[in-house]
């Protein structure tokens, strides 16, 4: 949360701005693929499924020449397991925006959720501590960039980087193919170029099963999601209260960020 000024009690208890860091971190020592951190704050957008999917999109576009992509994810159903994400994966793997032939998702079993991203987030936390005072979003970007010995790629999301991805699936089609289908039971998922379906497993040992889940009208002609046109904004009263509380200790060149935050319409 910004500003991060832990030595000042009045800053801790003020209503602060939430910042987000959706990180894609390689497994093991892969020199060609440093951590990729997608950053934004609540004044621009939130943490709903369409926001997380937009972060996935930023990552995939950054690695547009990779032929086969495998990601390990936690089991958060609202963010990493939802029909809007599955639609997006089929859409992007069949687009000309990336070169991937397959995108493969693996989901950690409950209770086994330690990921490379956890280590990276710890490095970010240590970087923030070394920075001591984090006044605005640019300071936060600097802290993330300097973590992992500076071997980090960051993408600071702008408003037009967010798209309003929707769930374009057919419940009836899914039930006809697999009446016992439950999204929460998926352990692996894969999409392939030239195919408008998804493949899934309920455990890592079983054979792949195919699921034709898209609404018929979208097979072969998949619509792109509209770009977000208005920021979420941040309440002006909160900005005024924050500057009243810590304005005297905040450098003038940091106040500009707060004064120019888009205002939230209540």
């Amino acid at each position: 949360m910004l500003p991060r000024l832990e030595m000042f009690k009045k800053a801790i208890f003020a209503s602060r701005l939430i910042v987000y860091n959706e990180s894609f971190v390689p497994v093991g020592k892969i020199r060609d693929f440093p951590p990729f951190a997608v950053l934004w704050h609540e004044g621009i957008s939130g943490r709903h499924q369409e926001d997380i999917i937009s972060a996935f999109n930023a990552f995939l576009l950054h690695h547009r020449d990779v032929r086969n992509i495998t990601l390990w994810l936690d089991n958060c159903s609202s963010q990493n397991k939802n029909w809007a994400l599955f639609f997006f994966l089929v859409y992007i793997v069949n687009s000309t925006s990336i070169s991937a032939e397959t995108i493969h998702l693996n989901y950690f079993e409950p209770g086994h959720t330690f990921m490379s991203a956890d280590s990276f987030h710890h490095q970010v936390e240590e970087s923030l501590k070394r920075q001591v005072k984090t006044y605005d979003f640019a300071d936060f970007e600097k802290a993330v960039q300097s973590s992992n010995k500076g071997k980090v790629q960051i993408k600071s999301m702008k408003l037009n980087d967010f798209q309003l991805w929707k769930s374009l699936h057919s419940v009836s089609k899914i039930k006809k193919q697999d009446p016992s289908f439950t999204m929460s039971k998926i352990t692996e998922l894969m999409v392939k170029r030239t195919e408008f379906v998804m493949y899934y497993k309920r455990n890592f040992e079983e054979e792949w099963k195919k699921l034709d889940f898209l609404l018929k009208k979208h097979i072969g002609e998949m619509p792109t999601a509209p770009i977000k046109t208005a920021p979420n904004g941040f309440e002006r009263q909160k900005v005024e209260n924050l500057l009243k509380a810590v304005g005297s200790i905040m450098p003038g060149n940091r106040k500009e960020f707060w004064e120019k935050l888009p205002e939230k319409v209540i």
Side-chain angles (χ1 to χ4, degrees), residues 66-82:
V66 177
R67 304 294 288 184
N68 296 286
I69 297 170
T70 299
L71 298 174
W72 286 88
L73 308 170
D74 63 32
N75 263 289
C76 181
S77 59
S78 62
Q79 296 175 11
N80 295 334
K81 266 187 184 178
N82 59 74

Side-chain angles (χ1 to χ4, degrees), residues 144-170:
V144 176
Q145 183 66 73
S146 64
S147 60
N148 194 43
K149 299 179 180 179
K151 298 177 181 177
V152 181
Q153 295 170 330
I154 67 171
K155 166 64 177 178
S156 293
M157 300 284 277
K158 307 301 181 185
L159 181 61
N160 61 5
D161 290 318
F162 289 96
Q163 291 176 261
L164 304 176
W165 297 98
K166 301 296 182 183
S167 305
L168 300 178
H169 65 290
S170 170

Side-chain angles (χ1 to χ4, degrees), residues 1-263:
M1 300 183 74
L2 296 178
R4 179 175 165 134
L5 304 167
E6 296 184 347
M7 68 292 298
F8 299 108
K9 187 176 180 179
K10 55 187 177 181
I12 296 174
F13 289 101
S15 294
R16 293 179 288 169
L17 184 76
I18 300 171
V19 293
Y20 303 108
N21 176 8
E22 179 78 2
S23 300
F24 298 82
V25 184
V27 177
K29 297 180 180 179
I30 306 178
R31 296 180 180 179
D32 294 336
F33 297 96
F36 184 76
V38 185
L39 312 178
W40 72 97
H41 60 75
E42 66 172 311
I44 298 174
S45 205
R47 197 176 61 177
H48 300 295
Q49 63 181 24
E50 60 268 25
D51 303 310
I52 302 301
I53 295 169
S54 296
F56 273 83
N57 188 42
F59 168 77
L60 292 171
L61 292 178
H62 183 76
H63 292 293
R64 61 184 181 176
D65 295 323
V66 177
R67 304 294 288 184
N68 296 286
I69 297 170
T70 299
L71 298 174
W72 286 88
L73 308 170
D74 63 32
N75 263 289
C76 181
S77 59
S78 62
Q79 296 175 11
N80 295 334
K81 266 187 184 178
N82 59 74
W83 290 115
L85 173 62
F86 299 165
F87 164 77
F88 162 75
L89 293 173
V90 175
Y91 168 86
I92 194 73
V93 81
N94 283 290
S95 75
T96 57
S97 300
I98 64 174
S99 301
E101 295 294 326
T102 64
I103 301 175
H104 187 179
L105 306 186
N106 293 319
Y107 293 97
F108 284 98
E109 296 179 3
H112 300 274
T113 57
F114 180 80
M115 299 182 287
S116 297
D118 295 328
S119 295
F120 174 66
H121 289 158
H122 175 72
Q123 293 172 350
V124 172
E125 178 65 24
E126 292 300 307
S127 180
L128 286 166
K129 289 179 180 178
R130 289 193 298 272
Q131 188 168 263
V132 184
K133 297 176 182 178
T134 305
Y135 294 105
D136 62 5
F137 190 69
D139 284 340
F140 178 68
E141 291 174 311
K142 182 179 179 181
V144 176
Q145 183 66 73
S146 64
S147 60
N148 194 43
K149 299 179 180 179
K151 298 177 181 177
V152 181
Q153 295 170 330
I154 67 171
K155 166 64 177 178
S156 293
M157 300 284 277
K158 307 301 181 185
L159 181 61
N160 61 5
D161 290 318
F162 289 96
Q163 291 176 261
L164 304 176
W165 297 98
K166 301 296 182 183
S167 305
L168 300 178
H169 65 290
S170 170
V171 175
S172 60
K173 284 175 67 175
I174 295 167
K175 291 298 182 183
K176 286 180 181 179
Q177 294 169 81
D178 187 351
S180 64
F181 180 86
T182 305
M183 188 183 296
S184 62
K185 300 296 183 182
I186 294 177
T187 58
E188 291 187 70
L189 182 146
M190 180 170 58
V191 295
K192 302 178 181 180
R193 185 170 291 276
T194 74
E195 297 190 38
F196 296 87
V197 300
M198 74 180 203
Y199 293 85
Y200 70 97
K201 293 182 181 182
R202 291 191 179 92
N203 62 67
F204 292 107
E205 288 74 35
E206 73 174 8
E207 297 295 321
W208 288 105
K209 294 183 179 181
K210 183 169 71 172
L211 186 67
D212 178 3
F213 69 98
L214 292 174
L215 290 167
K216 187 176 181 179
K217 65 180 180 179
H218 296 310
I219 296 176
E221 296 183 5
M222 305 183 73
T224 188
I227 294 173
K228 187 171 184 176
T229 57
N232 283 12
F234 193 65
E235 292 180 35
R236 182 54 50 188
Q237 188 61 52
K238 289 184 178 180
V239 173
E240 293 175 359
N241 292 343
L242 182 64
L243 291 178
K244 183 178 180 180
V246 299
S248 61
I249 57 176
M250 183 180 290
N253 59 3
R254 302 301 203 279
K255 292 179 183 178
E256 183 178 7
F257 166 79
W258 297 99
E259 292 167 348
K260 290 185 176 181
L261 270 178
E263 185 174 352

